[in-house]
Amino acid sequence: SLDHAPVEIRPGETATFDAVLARVIDTAGFVSSDYHVHGIRSADSRVSHVDRVSQFAGEGVDNIIMTDHHAHTDLTPTIARLGFTPFVHATVGEEITTWDAGHYNAYPMTIDPSLVTGGSTDWGRPAPAGEDFKSLGNYIMTPAEVLVLATNSPTATVDTIVQINHIDSHFVPMEIDTSVV
């Protein structure tokens, strides 16, 4: 919706305009979500939790699925502190970012408070000391292995799913047949 009023701003003063906005689309029975959201805990984002929550609450998105790179983030305390609980909810997730086998979002997840990452998925294949080299096949898990690891991790839920992100930028050049699991 739209609201407008004349505002006079004088040097050195603050002007206030209290806008009244209303939903213009009936979304009853639907939930809008963004399934790939980064915040301050991702290396590629500088957006604070307060700004991220305010942005989504203001845009009318019902659910923020936080998928920070290698970190589990819960925006629920920030949403409550800002008084936005009636407007927006948060789901904990993560973006599992391998170097050569793609990026994957896993959600919903839980948080392990004993770990600085909250319990992010380690996509490195376990290997004997000194043998953790890609040339030996002992470095990055396959997409199928990442799926199993993420959905069976201690921070997974019974509802955890994994989605493939940026499919063209990872799977097409690698010529991975995505029709076979």
Side-chain angles (χ1 to χ4, degrees), residues 122-146:
D122 183 357
W123 48 263
R125 179 175 284 126
E131 295 182 24
D132 56 343
F133 297 103
K134 185 177 177 183
S135 61
L136 296 177
N138 290 333
Y139 193 61
I140 296 174
M141 292 183 175
T142 66
E145 290 170 321
V146 169

Side-chain angles (χ1 to χ4, degrees), residues 12-181:
E13 294 182 10
T14 300
T16 301
F17 169 59
D18 293 321
V20 178
L21 302 177
R23 283 195 185 259
V24 294
I25 298 173
D26 180 9
T27 58
F30 295 91
V31 174
S32 63
S33 293
D34 190 328
Y35 296 86
H36 193 159
V37 180
H38 298 317
I40 194 68
R41 296 189 70 204
S42 278
D44 62 347
S45 176
R46 292 182 279 169
V47 181
S48 72
H49 293 165
V50 168
D51 287 347
R52 186 58 81 206
V53 167
S54 299
Q55 169 196 9
F56 278 87
E59 291 178 3
V61 176
D62 300 310
N63 185 40
I64 309 167
I65 300 178
M66 285 304 290
T67 53
D68 286 324
H69 292 278
H70 309 295
H72 292 195
T73 303
D74 186 4
L75 293 180
T76 304
T78 304
I79 291 168
R81 189 172 68 251
L82 294 172
F84 290 153
T85 302
F87 307 106
V88 66
H89 296 87
T91 298
V92 176
E94 72 169 307
E95 184 166 12
I96 304 162
T97 311
T98 71
W99 291 333
D100 295 325
H103 295 192
Y104 310 87
N105 282 351
Y107 55 85
M109 303 294 276
T110 62
I111 294 180
D112 180 342
S114 70
L115 300 172
V116 70
T117 66
S120 70
T121 304
D122 183 357
W123 48 263
R125 179 175 284 126
E131 295 182 24
D132 56 343
F133 297 103
K134 185 177 177 183
S135 61
L136 296 177
N138 290 333
Y139 193 61
I140 296 174
M141 292 183 175
T142 66
E145 290 170 321
V146 169
L147 171 67
V148 170
L149 183 65
T151 56
N152 291 290
S153 79
T155 56
T157 72
V158 296
D159 298 316
T160 297
I161 64 162
V162 176
Q163 77 181 33
I164 300 168
N165 299 335
H166 328 295
I167 194 162
D168 286 343
S169 59
H170 293 284
F171 289 88
V172 173
M174 292 170 37
E175 298 179 10
I176 291 177
D177 183 355
T178 58
S179 67
V180 179
V181 176

